[in-house]
Amino acid sequence: MENKKIRVLVVDDQLTLADEIGDILRTDEGLEFVGTAQDGFDALQKMPTLLPDVVLMDIRMPNMNGVVATQRIKTEYPDVKVVILTTFDDSDYILNAINNGASGYLLKGLGSNALISAVKDAYNGDTILPAKIARRITDAAKNVAADREIRLQRAFGMSDREIEIALMMYEGFTNRQISSALKLSEGTTRNYVSGIYIKTNAENRADAVAAIKKVLY
């Protein structure tokens, strides 16, 4: 039986760039470039016909930007992986997109091999977090994060690692995404999450996130 190809849709209002990405995707036998869309609205219109497994999504587009489009796609097609295409100036947009279900982000102009690998990794459930832009977002969020860490430590007596994972749970990351981002085994992540349940007096993830939210706001 022939292996299933990963179907990829590219969404970018710069159609020349979208076509160039498509040309790169066509070079790999495991991928199938199914087409382009010029904005989020166009992407949503084409989803039922093109049926992509992975969507490479620009953020700044007219009519419907990538953040809103990501939210809509993940609501209507929860199994589809959305990876954000971005520049160094999109930190706030990126965080919003990840909060709305994006699997991570890629820098525009990424090399061909790295782009192909990232698409496959996203399809397999990994979180795509390029080091350069991750550092920039981390630096921008340091003050907010420090305040949140203090609040969680005082309220629940969490360890540094528990606080890190609790915040990721609050932001909507799954256990698998947390494991990938923090380089932990899924079993270790589950153990930390169980500890967070105990310290927040929660029976499940929703209860724990609700308890965390009360402390953060």
Side-chain angles (χ1 to χ4, degrees):
M1 182 177 177
E2 185 178 353
N3 291 332
K4 178 187 183 301
K5 290 189 175 184
I6 301 170
R7 298 171 62 83
V8 187
L9 169 66
V10 179
V11 186
D12 198 313
D13 60 322
Q14 299 179 51
L15 295 181
T16 300
L17 175 60
D19 287 336
E20 289 174 357
I21 294 173
D23 289 340
I24 293 171
L25 299 175
R26 287 191 183 98
T27 65
D28 190 278
E29 293 182 353
L31 305 179
E32 181 179 354
F33 172 53
V34 298
T36 63
Q38 60 188 359
D39 55 46
F41 180 77
D42 189 27
L44 284 165
Q45 294 288 98
K46 292 178 176 178
M47 286 292 293
T49 302
L50 299 179
L51 298 174
D53 300 303
V54 176
V55 176
L56 297 179
M57 177 78 72
D58 186 24
I59 285 185
R60 302 189 185 207
M61 297 178 292
N63 300 321
M64 182 187 292
N65 68 35
V67 176
V68 176
T70 296
Q71 182 181 35
R72 291 279 301 276
I73 288 173
K74 292 301 293 183
T75 297
E76 297 179 29
Y77 307 91
D79 292 334
V80 173
K81 309 298 184 183
V82 180
V83 179
I84 299 301
L85 295 172
T86 185
T87 67
F88 281 113
D89 298 322
D90 287 332
S91 299
D92 291 339
Y93 286 94
I94 295 165
L95 289 173
N96 285 335
I98 289 177
N99 290 342
N100 283 302
S103 296
Y105 44 90
L106 298 173
L107 291 173
K108 289 186 174 181
L110 187 70
S112 300
N113 291 337
L115 174 64
I116 289 169
S117 294
V119 169
K120 292 180 178 179
D121 288 344
Y123 176 74
N124 288 322
D126 292 340
T127 301
I128 312 303
L129 301 171
K132 290 182 181 179
I133 197 164
R135 281 196 298 271
R136 174 161 182 162
I137 291 176
T138 300
D139 291 343
K142 271 185 179 177
N143 290 336
V144 174
D147 178 64
R148 288 178 165 186
E149 290 166 6
I150 291 170
R151 292 187 187 191
L152 289 175
Q153 202 284 325
R154 287 177 177 171
F156 304 119
M158 291 182 183
S159 67
D160 290 345
R161 180 64 92 185
E162 286 173 336
I163 289 170
E164 188 174 22
I165 291 174
L167 289 171
M168 294 183 77
M169 290 168 60
Y170 171 73
E171 297 290 354
F173 283 72
T174 65
N175 281 6
R176 184 169 186 178
Q177 289 174 326
I178 291 170
S179 299
S180 176
L182 300 183
K183 303 297 188 289
L184 300 173
S185 71
E186 291 193 41
T188 298
T189 297
R190 282 196 298 271
N191 289 338
Y192 277 117
V193 170
S194 295
I196 290 168
Y197 287 178
I198 293 170
K199 291 187 176 182
T200 57
N201 195 29
E203 294 185 2
N204 53 49
R205 198 180 198 88
D207 289 346
V209 170
I212 293 165
K213 183 176 181 179
K214 284 181 180 179
V215 170
L216 297 182
Y217 286 92

